[in-house]
Amino acid sequence: MIQKLRSLLTKRDKQFLFGLFLFSIVISLIETIGISIIMPFMAVATDFNIIHNNEYYIQIYTFFDFNSDVDFVVAFGIILIFFYIFRSIINLFYFYMLNKFTQNRYYLLAYRLFESYMGLPYQEFIARNSSTMTKSIITEAATLTGLISSILFMMSEVFIVIFIYAMMLYVNYKITFLLTIVLALNALLMIKTISKKIKKAGVIREKLQRRFYEIINRSFGNFKLIKLQSNDKDILKDFGEVSYTYAQSNITSSTLQQIPRLFLEAIGFSIVIFIVTYLVWKYDGDVSHVLSTITMFVLALYRLMPSANRIMTSYNRILFSHRSLDIIHHDLMYDIENFGDEKISFKQEIIIKNLNFEYEDDKAVLININLIIKKGSSIAFTGESGSGKSTLVDLIIGLYKPKIGYIIADKNKIDDSNIKSWRSKVGYIPQSVYLFDGTVGKNIAFGCEYNKFKIDDCLKKAKMYKFLNTKEGQDTLVGEGGVMLSGGQKQRIAIARALYLDPEILVLDEATSALDDDTEKEIMDEIYEISADKTLIIIAHRLSTLDRCDRIYRLEDGNIITIL
């Protein structure tokens, strides 16, 4: 666990942690002084003779020239008051620094997870569950932050326990040993029983949260279908079972985490009460000579028990949250795409030579593809589903890497050094257009600098400008998924988005297959018109939309078998 945490922390984080480590030692010393200083104060307050019999007290008494023993005790008390105020302030500052460190880790962990997912190769990204990635960013990062916080709290409390324990040994080792044996046996019992159950509950928590996100995502994503099928009862039943079991897991964990605290307190204070009762019985009620020792032990235990409780609670929280560390460490170990900034030109042609590709070993998707695409031409790929046409286009535009063979643009091989430049030349219009809940303008400029005049120009080319002027123009809301627009309007927004960066290559991935014949013909005519100075690559099933293409290639089982 420690090794995984270290791999997630930066050098600056480790330096900050070392500073907190030193700070925790100072805090522990202050806490120990705060307990131990009560004993001499109580002794002096109950017996003024101690002032004159103790060499240290008499030196202080003489140096400050106190007028009376009462003045000495009053000054002693005032100093203690200011000390405890200082103790509170420095403890508050320490906890602020702890919380600042741990909460800032959430921001960094969530950012690094998002960066890691966004940097995944396209082939790896589509193989992953989006709800699981969402859960990791939102929930697991926050849970891991709690785990780090628990470790830091444990670190600070351990030193407090060590120093107070050392002081108790110095004052009376017999009573301290008795307390140690009883509390150690209790702690061992808690670890062997309660902690194991909490760890198991933590594993259940992670699994149920994953199902939580999956049910929510698939239900919201298929809301229309659910309404039509009227099967929301089954979905609600699934969600209810998951949420109930999740709640039971949290109830179990929260309840179990309270047991060590309550048990430790009961045992610890019972021992002190037993010792006081024994001393009263032994000395026949006259315990004045051991009153300061008893007071010190009561205060020490009063401060020690919360620290011991926090250590046990933090330990159990670490066990409950340990799956978050495993998940985040695993997801941050992915190799993200790291491409160069070398420029590549496209003035003449794209050459595809001896191209082979497979998603799984020995299951070829494309076999020995050889093809030339001239600059400014319009070509189409057709074929049955699974024939490899979409995969071929994804290879051409740089989303996948060939297993064998290569793709050349103007005599330059497309590779990791120039693929960023190559991808920037592509405008992509998918079959299923996703529009986020925002304005038309923001959806078109998605991920790029917002340019109002450029957006208007793209809307005019996509034949959406006049329609939007009857509403709110660029500020027209589209709704989540574009639910406030028709299918044809969504496709026109997608066209405007693809044109926004003035691409050299325009790709249509069955972009009109879901539209009616008239709308499809109208949009295709517009696409041919706006792509007159671009290289157009179309994936389609119906040949009726491809009558103006220069070349039509048919794929079957990963091979180009027909050229029209």
Side-chain angles (χ1 to χ4, degrees), residues 127-339:
R128 303 203 62 179
N129 190 308
S130 61
S131 62
T132 301
M133 292 188 285
T134 302
K135 177 179 77 75
S136 294
I137 294 171
I138 297 174
T139 303
E140 301 303 340
T143 305
L144 181 55
T145 300
L147 183 147
I148 294 172
S149 178
S150 295
I151 291 175
L152 293 176
F153 275 113
M154 273 188 69
M155 179 181 70
S156 62
E157 296 297 339
V158 162
F159 285 110
I160 291 174
V161 170
I162 290 172
F163 288 138
I164 293 178
Y165 182 75
M167 179 198 68
M168 291 169 67
L169 279 174
Y170 175 77
V171 173
N172 191 311
Y173 70 90
K174 292 180 180 179
I175 296 177
T176 305
F177 275 142
L178 177 62
L179 285 169
T180 302
I181 292 170
V182 175
L183 295 179
L185 289 173
N186 174 68
L188 184 63
L189 177 65
M190 294 295 105
I191 291 172
K192 292 295 184 181
T193 56
I194 303 300
S195 297
K196 283 186 176 181
K197 293 182 179 180
I198 291 174
K199 185 175 183 179
K200 184 178 179 181
V203 174
I204 295 171
R205 186 272 316 168
E206 188 276 323
K207 290 180 179 178
L208 293 173
Q209 272 192 335
R210 192 191 316 154
R211 288 190 61 195
F212 247 155
Y213 279 87
E214 288 171 357
I215 292 172
I216 292 170
N217 278 13
R218 74 168 183 252
S219 300
F220 289 172
N222 294 286
F223 189 76
K224 190 173 185 179
L225 182 62
I226 292 168
K227 284 297 178 184
L228 289 172
Q229 294 179 345
S230 300
N231 64 346
D232 54 335
K233 289 184 178 179
D234 292 336
I235 293 168
L236 289 171
K237 181 182 177 182
D238 287 345
F239 186 83
E241 290 175 354
V242 172
S243 58
Y244 177 79
T245 311
Y246 177 70
Q248 296 307 305
S249 173
N250 282 326
I251 290 170
T252 300
S253 171
S254 299
T255 304
L256 291 175
Q257 287 183 18
Q258 297 302 315
I259 292 176
R261 177 182 67 84
L262 297 172
F263 205 62
L264 278 172
E265 287 178 356
I267 294 296
F269 285 112
S270 295
I271 292 172
V272 171
I273 292 170
F274 171 78
I275 291 169
V276 171
T277 305
Y278 171 75
L279 291 174
V280 170
W281 172 78
K282 182 177 181 180
Y283 296 107
D284 197 24
D286 183 16
V287 293
S288 58
H289 62 287
V290 292
L291 180 62
S292 60
T293 302
I294 293 173
T295 303
M296 191 281 299
F297 263 92
V298 170
L299 289 173
L301 197 63
Y302 183 78
R303 181 62 188 86
L304 192 64
M305 293 310 298
S307 292
N309 290 330
R310 289 188 193 113
I311 290 172
M312 283 298 300
T313 301
S314 296
Y315 175 73
N316 288 328
R317 283 177 181 168
I318 291 168
L319 293 180
F320 186 70
S321 308
H322 78 285
R323 278 292 297 151
S324 295
L325 176 59
D326 296 337
I327 291 168
I328 292 178
H329 180 267
H330 177 268
D331 285 3
L332 289 180
M333 291 302 107
Y334 277 107
D335 292 328
I336 65 174
E337 293 180 322
N338 186 19
F339 299 138

Side-chain angles (χ1 to χ4, degrees), residues 343-360:
K343 301 298 180 183
I344 188 170
S345 64
F346 177 39
K347 304 294 183 184
Q348 300 172 353
E349 60 187 11
I350 303 169
I351 299 174
I352 302 165
K353 192 167 184 180
N354 302 326
L355 184 66
N356 289 264
F357 184 81
E358 57 187 29
Y359 292 103
E360 300 176 36

Side-chain angles (χ1 to χ4, degrees), residues 94-139:
Y94 174 68
F95 287 121
Y96 165 77
M97 297 301 290
L98 275 179
N99 288 317
K100 179 181 178 181
F101 177 80
T102 54
Q103 294 307 314
N104 280 341
R105 288 330 92 192
Y106 172 75
Y107 151 71
L108 290 174
L109 287 170
Y111 179 85
R112 287 177 63 190
L113 279 171
F114 188 66
E115 181 184 41
S116 178
Y117 296 146
M118 294 302 291
L120 285 173
Y122 181 71
Q123 186 175 345
E124 290 186 31
F125 181 84
I126 61 174
R128 303 203 62 179
N129 190 308
S130 61
S131 62
T132 301
M133 292 188 285
T134 302
K135 177 179 77 75
S136 294
I137 294 171
I138 297 174
T139 303

